[in-house]
Amino acid sequence: MLPFNAISSVFVERFILALVMALLAITISISRWGYSVDQAFYDAVLTRFPSEPPKDLLIVAIDERSLLEIGRWPWSRRVHAQLLDKLREADAQAVAFDIIFPDPDRYDPQSDQIFSEAIANFGSVVLSVHMEQTYQGGQILEVLPTPILASSAAALGHVHVEYDVDGVCRAVFLKEGLGEAYWPHLMLSLLNLVYPDEDYEIPGLRPNESITNSSFAISRDYFNLIPLAGPPPQVESVSYTDVIHDRIPLRTLSDKVVLIGATAQGMGDLIATPFGTMDGVEFNANIYKSLLHKTTIIPVDVHLHWIFSCIIVFVLILSGAYATPRQYFILTSVYVLSITLLSAIFILYARLWFAPLAVIIPLLLFYPIWSWRRLEQAIRFLRRELYRAQQEAESSNQQIDTKLAERLTFVAKIVGLSQWQISDGSSDGGKSFNHMKPIDVVSSDNFNRVSISWDESSDMDTKYSQLWRSAIDLNANVVEKPEKKPAELVTATIQSLRKATQEAEINRKFTRQCLENIRGAIVVTNIFGEAILINDTARSSFDLVEDKPLHLLEFLHDFQIDGNWLHLIQTAILEQTDISVEAKLVNTEKEYLCQLVALNWQSKYTDTLLFSFTDITMVKESERARTEALHFLSHDLRSPVVSILALIEQYRNTKLNRDDVVEKSEVNSMLSDIEAYARKNLSFAESFLQLARAEIAGQSKFDLCDIHSVIDNALLMVRHPASQKKIKIDISRTMDDMWVEGDGELLERLLINLLTNAIKYSSSDTLVQVFAEVEGSNLVIKVKDQGHGIKPEDLPNIFQRFKRVAGQTNVSGAGLGLHFVEIVARKHGGSVRVESEFGKGSCFIVVLPAYQDDTLLDD
Ligand code: ADP
């Protein structure tokens, strides 16, 4: 993510660019640059959606046929009078002459009179006013109909249409005149005649500048764009000659608004329109219809146009400030399409013409400019970051870029390799190397060849050679071969970035692997107690499920410590000290040393807690064992000696000091007491030593032992104490071979301990039974007695070190015998368990894995 100041600088840059683009919109709007494209769009919309053809309108066309039948133009005004009479007869509504009658008829002045009367008789007749320049650059004159005609006409109107720069006619000024826009358009006058009572508000764009009052310049007002009904002919039309020769039924003319104009070729009244050339009279018909239906199109005032263009461009560009380049590309397309569409909708429905190019060009231009700026910035940023990463990599490389020879010497020592050499790349090493191809190493300033050899007989096996190979590879990787960089900047930057990412990935993997391979359990949480990293050891030790989120308090809940976890965490954070505490995992016997460190990793305050758990169960166990051993030495082993010393002291004080005659029996009794204590001590010491031996016993010292002879030897050893208590020992065993891999002496001692206990904890005249059987792949030895038995609550403890059942002070023992049995059974891969009924007797069952070797059995 970009830092805040980077974001704000990006925004400022976009703001400035948006302003520039808005200015461009104004420039385009004012200069009318690209005007022809706008016009083409306008034409495309209107030609695709033409307006309705005018109805109730009739053109009386002065066509070729009329010229043929009536004669050459100009015709006598009597003909026009005749036409008017016909139209009157047919009851036509109104008539507009798109013909100019500037002069009186010099050859037939009577005809003017007749025509004038016909005009007057008809009533609703409009005549044309024409504005004319006498010569190029000369004065402009208003040419009115000759006075006799003008006076009888109901109204006059100018017949000018407006040509665009492309020579196409799309518009008209509804008022025009010399000095003052006085004359309404011929069609406006006609409309006013047809609908005299209506308060018709003249549509159109009014000029902004104050109307010039110069009587020599044309003033114009009420600018309107005229939507056309389509390519001509769209308006109903009859031939002039047909009308005056009664070839047209009168009802065709009845109630019609009639436009009289020339359509014959060569009469020069053709107009270029978006639909192609059109007769002036048809164009006028379109004007009439647009005025009647109020469908003329009014262009947006030029000032408003540039203000709107500027605002739209500015707002749209800023609106996409947070879009990605791809999103902005889509946005731009959507904007451009919407503006085009809106503009078309405005033309067709709102009858407003907003030229869209002034908005579209800046929007389209902004995208590449902005993308270029962003690309520039991105590349600059990437190069800066890459440079920094390279600097870091170089400095770390320098640290490990010690001399190749020095490094390989170390590896050679590990591998135990004596014959190896580095030569410069040019020579071949000078020796014969059968086992490995020489390896070329490119380092920062030179090129080396490493060659090694070893004897066929040497124990340089493949693993070692692989180690050697990877050591050399590693060295070669440290300083890479110079790569050919692509010339194109973006590709080169992307390549460098990819390399940097790969290196980062390798580093990440390396750190991860180191962490995973740490034997201690690591749990890292954020300051909210949510685990963000748990290594494999922690997962397996504490049964943590991979995908389940872990919360610290829930996790620590299972660890019992001296004190309070929250308090410890608080101390670690506030005092920034490392905390170590011993913790016990509930429901298990596991004990851990927990170390807690508060880190500030992302901010300057503590944001991360690192817990490491080291399993100290064994350490604690041996610590306990040592304490117990000390206790044993200081108490159990010491007390018989103290008793012996006390006996001697007592004897010296009571007997010897008083020079009494010492009875032989007294001496004997004292000596047997001393003997008993000494034996007890010896037995304790022996048990202790045996235990120590059992604890260090390892499989490396195991031999094959025959359990039959182990049992026989043990029975021999306990025969005496058994007979003393008149206890009979029975043996029941299988005749099968019973071999185990183990330590014969320890196994024998195991059996002696069990038998001794059976005798010790049984009354006289009872029976002790020994069973030896093969069960599957195991050998099972049972020692069963009819003694006191063991209470159920004591059963779980009797195999523990120094554990004796309470209230057995009359039976000597150190509480080590069964512990020894348990250890020896375990060391041999077996186990021991007890079944006992208090008051009835006990049965100790030892299970040992039998030695599995068919060859031995066959032998
Ligand atoms: P000790 O030196 O006390 O005999 P052991 O480890 O051999 O120590 O035995 C631990 C305890 O188990 C004894 O104190 C005794 O109470 C009980 N025990 C062991 N063997 C027997 C047995 N055969 N019958 C009853 N109790 C037994």
Side-chain angles (χ1 to χ4, degrees), residues 757-758 760-761 785 789-790 798 803-805 808 813-818 842 844:
N757 277 354
K760 262 199 313 191
Y761 300 108
D785 62 52
I790 306 159
I798 54 170
K803 281 281 163 25
R804 303 200 69 209
V805 172
Q808 282 174 345
L816 290 174
L818 286 183
S842 316
F844 286 84

Side-chain angles (χ1 to χ4, degrees), residues 13 31 33 211 224 302 386 405 491 586-587 594 605 636 645 650 676 789 858:
E13 191 181 341
S31 70
W33 181 84
I211 299 166
N224 282 277
V302 66
L386 278 172
T491 321
V586 291
N587 301 330
C594 171
Y605 306 105
D636 296 60
L645 290 175
Q650 185 194 13
D858 293 345

Side-chain angles (χ1 to χ4, degrees), residues 684 687 753-762 783 785 787-790 794 797-800 802-806 808 811-821 834 836 841-844:
F684 279 7
S687 308
N753 280 7
L754 290 180
L755 288 166
T756 313
N757 277 354
I759 296 162
K760 262 199 313 191
Y761 300 108
S762 293
V783 177
D785 62 52
H788 315 151
I790 306 159
D794 292 326
N797 301 325
I798 54 170
F799 290 101
Q800 286 176 23
F802 301 117
K803 281 281 163 25
R804 303 200 69 209
V805 172
Q808 282 174 345
V811 186
S812 74
L816 290 174
L818 286 183
H819 185 59
F820 173 88
V821 170
V834 59
S836 181
S842 316
C843 179
F844 286 84

